[in-house]
Amino acid sequence: MKKVILKKGKERPLQFHHPWVFSGAINRAEEITNGEIVEVFDSSNQFLGKGFYNSKSQITVRILEWDRDTEISEDWWRARIINAIKSREHIKNTDSIRLVYSEGDFIPGLIIDKYSEYLIVQILSLGIEMNKEMIIKIFVDLIHPKGVYERVDEKIKELEGLSGISQIAFGEIPEEIVINENGNKFSVNIKDGQKTGFYLDQRENREYVKRYSEGRKVLDCFSFTGGFSVYALKFGAESVSLVDSSEESLKIAMKNFELNGVSNKEIKTLHCDAFQELRKFRDRGEKFDMIILDPPKLAPSKYQKEKALRAYKDINILGMKLLNPGGILFTFSCSGAVTGDDLLRVLEYAAIDSGKTIQVIQKLSQSSDHPILISCPETEYLKGFVARVI
Ligand code: SAH
């Protein structure tokens, strides 16, 4: 197997099992074909791990295995995949789940979501792309899906030098899939849905929304297809207003209300920019009893963090101002660069600027089918708080 030798002092993260080797950490590498599996050594020739090599990526090696004697064979892949699937056995009452979450499941570069009887594969590295047939075959054997869709994100394609396209890799994929989560139905469009069509990472947080919904006038900001609103209406919300800049998402939200028998309730959908709409609500003096703020990733990298924190503060100030006394704020950040502590500071300053007092009553994270690998903090991206605003 070909060798990659690190610069002196660059072995620490790997010793702690962080699975990424950045290009700048490499001292020497033999002639290696991109996508090949290599062995990584520190500067004093101690073995660290082995994984996929790709000189086109900033993350030049993604470690798959820390044990030198363990061969990365088809059986190895099958075992890792079975482990990932088994570790989700505690998740009940849903036919839709993230089966593999990349580094979080010790398979860097691979994300697999199950939507009812269909699988969506996201390929995030060249090594995975080169082994995709084998990986998909293992899933077809284990899960017997009706179809597998392969999704390639254009940005990742560029960053990693991938050549694949989004396409059906096995069986058939219908235009619309209706999934069932805790007895709630959601229409999911896999082929052109945003991300993977439905936010599985918010599943467990939807359960929290349901707890506070009874009798409340709800504002669901950045609603997408209304996941939170469906739960709110089914659990007694007096009304919901959805704000999203995607008209298509709001149309699917209306379909979701019909699918769940709540379309007769008081529902407003507002196709507009949430940052502006929150100001309009404030200027009109409109009030709510519960507000959900789930914006898109405002800090795509650490370089946008400061600007993103100002934007998070902006919407949280407005959210707090729009709440009646005792109102409940659900606030999220899905930016990897923004930590839970950062978001808490945002809330602290937003409370001061809005002249409110807040009690944080719950800390939220991504659902448990998106496990966080402690040695790889990048696997934790979704942070949220439930706060009572006084
Ligand atoms: N809360 C949703 C997921 C939100 S994803 C759920 O649980 O399913 C972020 C959403 O924000 C997307 O639907 C996107 O269309 C919307 N969005 C992005 N920028 C926006 C803006 N400036 N104003 C309103 N919506 C926006």
Side-chain angles (χ1 to χ4, degrees), residues 104-146:
D105 281 300
F106 314 103
I107 313 181
L110 180 69
I111 290 180
I112 303 219
D113 290 327
K114 175 175 173 287
Y115 288 103
S116 179
E117 292 171 293
Y118 301 89
L119 298 182
I120 316 297
V121 180
Q122 288 183 67
I123 292 166
L124 313 169
S125 80
L126 185 67
I128 296 289
E129 182 171 82
M130 287 169 61
N131 288 278
K132 69 182 180 191
E133 268 94 29
M134 174 198 54
I135 293 169
I136 291 171
K137 186 178 160 290
I138 294 173
F139 273 94
V140 169
D141 286 352
L142 292 171
I143 308 271
H144 310 297
K146 285 190 179 163

Side-chain angles (χ1 to χ4, degrees), residues 120-263:
I120 316 297
V121 180
Q122 288 183 67
I123 292 166
L124 313 169
S125 80
L126 185 67
I128 296 289
E129 182 171 82
M130 287 169 61
N131 288 278
K132 69 182 180 191
E133 268 94 29
M134 174 198 54
I135 293 169
I136 291 171
K137 186 178 160 290
I138 294 173
F139 273 94
V140 169
D141 286 352
L142 292 171
I143 308 271
H144 310 297
K146 285 190 179 163
V148 179
Y149 191 72
E150 186 186 328
R151 178 194 285 273
V152 184
D153 180 286
E154 288 306 314
K155 223 184 276 161
I156 288 177
K157 198 169 161 175
E158 203 186 303
L159 285 174
E160 298 289 319
L162 308 182
S163 57
I165 51 161
S166 295
Q167 60 184 352
I168 295 174
F170 170 80
E172 284 177 8
I173 300 287
E175 284 308 312
E176 182 198 28
I177 297 170
V178 175
I179 66 162
N180 192 321
E181 180 192 275
N182 297 314
N184 304 304
K185 296 196 178 82
F186 294 101
S187 166
V188 178
N189 178 336
I190 283 179
K191 288 184 189 159
D192 16 81
Q194 198 177 343
K195 210 183 164 196
T196 51
F198 191 63
Y199 287 89
L200 299 172
D201 54 359
Q202 291 282 22
R203 182 192 321 104
E204 289 163 20
N205 300 330
R206 286 189 272 277
E207 294 278 345
Y208 283 101
V209 162
K210 141 183 155 181
R211 293 189 191 173
Y212 298 98
S213 295
E214 177 104 49
R216 292 192 193 259
K217 183 179 170 196
V218 177
L219 174 62
D220 184 357
C221 234
F222 309 94
S223 66
F224 188 51
T225 56
F228 288 123
S229 288
V230 164
Y231 276 67
L233 285 173
K234 279 189 107 174
F235 288 85
E238 189 188 288
S239 68
V240 292
S241 298
L242 289 78
V243 178
D244 203 284
S245 58
S246 154
E247 200 169 11
E248 184 56 31
S249 299
L250 292 170
K251 271 192 203 148
I252 300 174
M254 288 312 292
K255 195 177 223 175
N256 287 335
F257 296 136
E258 271 165 38
L259 283 171
N260 292 286
V262 289
S263 55

Side-chain angles (χ1 to χ4, degrees), residues 47 166 229 267 290:
F47 173 82
S166 295
S229 288
I267 297 166
M290 177 154 107

Side-chain angles (χ1 to χ4, degrees), residues 101 194-195 199 201-202 205 222 293-301 308 312 315 331-340 343 364-366 370 378-385:
Y101 174 48
Q194 198 177 343
K195 210 183 164 196
Y199 287 89
D201 54 359
Q202 291 282 22
N205 300 330
F222 309 94
L293 299 173
D294 184 21
K297 205 191 275 181
L298 297 177
S301 79
Y312 284 116
I315 53 175
T331 188
F332 295 98
S333 160
C334 61
S335 304
V338 172
T339 66
L343 186 60
L364 305 172
S365 181
Q366 58 221 46
H370 297 60
E378 293 83 352
T379 52
E380 180 180 18
Y381 65 98
L382 183 62
K383 294 101 191 174
F385 293 98

